Amino acid sequence: MGAGEVLVQVAGAGICGTDYRIWTGERGVRYPLIPGHEFIGDVVAVGAGVSRVAPGDRVAIEPNWGCGACDLCRSGSENLCLARTAVGIDRDGGFAELAVLPERACWAAPAGVPSDVLLFAEPLAVVTRAVERAAPRPGETAAVVGAGTLGLLALQVLRARGCQVLVVGRTDRRLELARRLGATSTVAGAGQPVADEARRLSGRDGADLVIETAGTAAAVELAVGQVGLVRPGGRVVLTGLPHDPARIEFFWIVRREIDIRGYMIYREEFGQAISLLAEGRVRVDALLTHRFPLAAIDAALTAHRDPESIKVAVFPDGSAG
Ligand SMILES: [Zn+2]
Ligand SMILES: [Zn+2]
């Protein structure tokens, strides 16, 4: 451990689609590599010059940072830095008992935030900025496409911003959970029935804003397509990472002045996300559906693809229960 570095004993690590794609080989990385970027732990030791955290601190890890020197970084767009470092992708991450991280990646958590809650800091930081990109105003109608971890978090952040929220998902079980977490309305499927529900709920020609979290071509088409969710003049934020091309008729984008905003992780939102969790303003207890010991990580990654799972996490110390 060098100057400015922190040794963290990992307390838990969430699994997301990127980890799954690394595991299957769809996403290339340079091995040897320990993946895992959504994790929390306890500071064991700190290198020379570290002042942000101290041994014993419970920390959540912010796993991305820019080079700090390029034009994008210096203009405040660190998340877009072409030389960005991503923990668990470019350097060793949290599917381990111990991890070494630069001081800047470590956020001391307020006392008393349970591990199962703090684990959501990273995905909630993603969602916090995504919602910000959509510029929601109180009273507006928002549609969230996808009822996974990101969708169910986005729903809650949008409710906290005073929006009524329509959640579009695939399974009844998740849509029921969405209603329990505050969704004004939910709908399954695609096409006209979904567009009709957006109209009914908004009392306008579609939702004022749409946040796409599923990362599939069908979800993108639902968000911005001709028979889609967004009203003329509305905003669409794309936060899932669609790896397949979507079929969009841009005629309708132009005619309806649809504002499509791409979106990539976070900039300043990590601390905000930890505060939202610490204050209990976002409920995550029902989202952590599967817990595994670290030694059973293969089973955990398999469970990530189970339609019954929302967030799967691994726990090195056996607290998986
Ligand atoms: Zn992730
Ligand atoms: Zn940079």
Side-chain angles (χ1 to χ4, degrees):
M1 191 180 44
E5 288 187 323
V6 178
L7 179 65
V8 174
Q9 178 156 23
V10 178
I15 290 175
C16 92
T18 303
D19 302 311
Y20 184 83
R21 290 169 55 81
I22 291 173
W23 185 57
T24 60
E26 283 167 85
R27 161 132 197 186
V29 291
R30 222 167 352 157
Y31 288 103
L33 175 81
I34 299 170
H37 58 274
E38 296 179 9
F39 63 106
I40 62 171
D42 298 300
V43 175
V44 177
V46 298
V50 170
S51 58
R52 197 177 148 96
V53 292
D57 283 352
R58 169 51 60 97
V59 289
I61 305 305
E62 178 174 359
N64 292 281
W65 57 86
C67 72
C70 73
D71 214 42
L72 287 161
C73 283
R74 282 183 300 162
S75 61
S77 303
E78 264 202 78
N79 59 322
L80 304 180
C81 173
L82 298 173
R84 183 166 60 90
T85 299
V87 173
I89 298 170
D90 306 314
R91 57 177 280 161
D92 285 345
F95 296 157
E97 292 176 321
L98 294 168
V100 174
L101 297 146
E103 174 178 26
R104 62 176 298 163
C106 300
W107 289 78
V113 185
S115 300
D116 287 5
V117 172
L118 193 60
L119 263 178
F120 285 85
E122 205 273 347
L124 185 56
V126 166
V127 162
T128 304
R129 180 155 180 274
V131 169
E132 206 53 53
R133 289 277 285 161
R137 290 184 289 271
E140 283 193 314
T141 298
V144 173
V145 183
T149 301
L150 295 182
L152 294 170
L153 291 174
L155 148 68
Q156 298 184 66
V157 175
L158 285 161
R159 289 296 284 161
R161 297 288 292 265
C163 295
Q164 36 175 8
V165 183
L166 167 65
V167 175
V168 185
R170 282 183 302 184
T171 68
D172 287 341
R173 206 177 63 91
R174 288 193 188 196
L175 293 179
E176 199 227 286
L177 178 56
R179 288 192 294 276
R180 265 202 285 144
L181 293 173
T184 322
S185 175
T186 59
V187 61
Q192 200 61 53
V194 172
D196 288 346
E197 182 57 19
R199 290 203 178 90
R200 190 195 66 77
L201 186 63
S202 62
R204 311 182 66 170
D205 214 16
D208 299 298
L209 58 115
V210 179
I211 299 196
E212 190 289 304
T213 68
T216 62
V220 173
E221 287 161 16
L222 187 59
V224 298
Q226 185 188 349
V227 182
L229 285 159
V230 71
R231 69 165 167 83
R235 296 93 73 193
V236 177
V237 175
L238 302 174
T239 79
L241 284 171
H243 285 82
D244 299 318
R247 286 183 30 191
I248 304 298
E249 287 187 54
F250 279 89
F251 178 84
W252 296 106
I253 307 294
V254 175
R255 273 296 296 273
R256 295 173 180 174
E257 286 195 354
I258 307 298
D259 185 350
I260 302 177
R261 298 176 192 180
Y263 154 86
M264 187 63 196
I265 58 170
Y266 31 76
R267 292 178 187 170
E268 312 287 332
E269 291 79 8
F270 217 85
Q272 279 176 46
I274 292 174
S275 300
L276 284 172
L277 292 170
E279 292 158 13
R281 284 159 65 197
V282 171
R283 284 159 53 200
V284 297
D285 43 310
L287 305 188
L288 182 60
T289 53
H290 290 65
R291 312 162 59 95
F292 289 89
L294 177 60
I297 185 134
D298 281 11
L301 284 156
T302 304
H304 170 78
R305 265 307 166 90
D306 181 345
E308 292 293 302
S309 75
I310 298 176
K311 178 58 76 183
V312 179
V314 290
F315 298 86
D317 65 357
S319 65

